[in-house]
Amino acid sequence: MGKTITFILILTLFISCKEELVQKPDRLVEKDVMVNVMVDLSILEAIKYQNPASLDTFKINPRDFIYKKYKIDSLQFAKSNVYYASDYEDYKLMFEQIVKRLDAKKKSADSLVNLEKKKKNPILSKKKKSTLPTRDTTKLD
């Protein structure tokens, strides 16, 4: 009798672990769109903290801007985020995609900044040549 109860408890435990922890929301944001939203939010939040005046000048709330851009609302985003976060491995892959895209955008921005610096200071981009006269030491006087 004890073995049967133990077996049923273990079986119940395995079956319950396979259930979804979070039910799929009615208006789930697609995974690709969710990645785009998170990339854009990351960029706008970084701008907000690096140069808050730039967003304040235009009275832009980063989250509201993104919600309008992707035609979603905050509740839809929050429920979709919780749903995707309930699957750790899949959520981790999403964040890897986000990091890769942010790194690519950072490299692109860095190259544009370097290009602008070269345009403003062409002297710095070229190697400075020595202005001292050189003396040929192979000839004997």
Side-chain angles (χ1 to χ4, degrees), residues 6 16 18 21 29-30 44 131:
T6 305
S16 66
K18 290 191 176 194
L21 298 174
V29 177
E30 292 180 29
L44 283 174
T131 56

Side-chain angles (χ1 to χ4, degrees), residues 15-120:
I15 291 172
S16 66
C17 288
K18 290 191 176 194
E19 286 184 37
E20 288 184 355
L21 298 174
V22 178
Q23 288 185 345
K24 185 176 180 179
D26 294 334
R27 298 180 0 191
L28 179 69
V29 177
E30 292 180 29
K31 197 176 293 188
D32 294 339
V33 174
M34 193 70 171
V35 169
N36 291 339
V37 168
M38 293 172 114
V39 167
D40 287 350
L41 276 174
S42 298
I43 292 170
L44 283 174
E45 289 295 323
I47 292 170
K48 179 180 171 182
Y49 290 106
Q50 292 295 317
N51 190 5
S54 64
L55 294 177
D56 290 341
T57 302
F58 299 106
K59 294 181 176 48
I60 296 174
N61 180 335
R63 289 192 178 272
D64 292 342
F65 177 79
I66 297 300
Y67 296 152
K68 285 180 184 178
K69 178 180 177 181
Y70 291 99
K71 298 178 177 91
I72 60 175
D73 58 44
S74 60
L75 183 62
Q76 183 181 6
F77 173 76
K79 285 184 176 182
S80 298
N81 194 37
V82 168
Y83 176 75
Y84 289 125
S86 68
D87 182 2
Y88 172 76
E89 290 298 322
D90 205 28
Y91 204 57
K92 182 180 171 185
L93 293 174
M94 285 175 65
F95 269 92
E96 288 173 0
Q97 286 179 352
I98 292 167
V99 169
K100 283 180 187 175
R101 288 184 50 194
L102 288 173
D103 285 342
K105 288 181 183 282
K106 182 182 182 304
K107 287 179 184 175
S108 175
D110 287 345
S111 66
L112 289 174
V113 167
N114 289 336
L115 184 63
E116 281 298 314
K117 284 181 182 178
K118 287 180 182 179
K119 284 182 181 178
K120 288 182 180 178

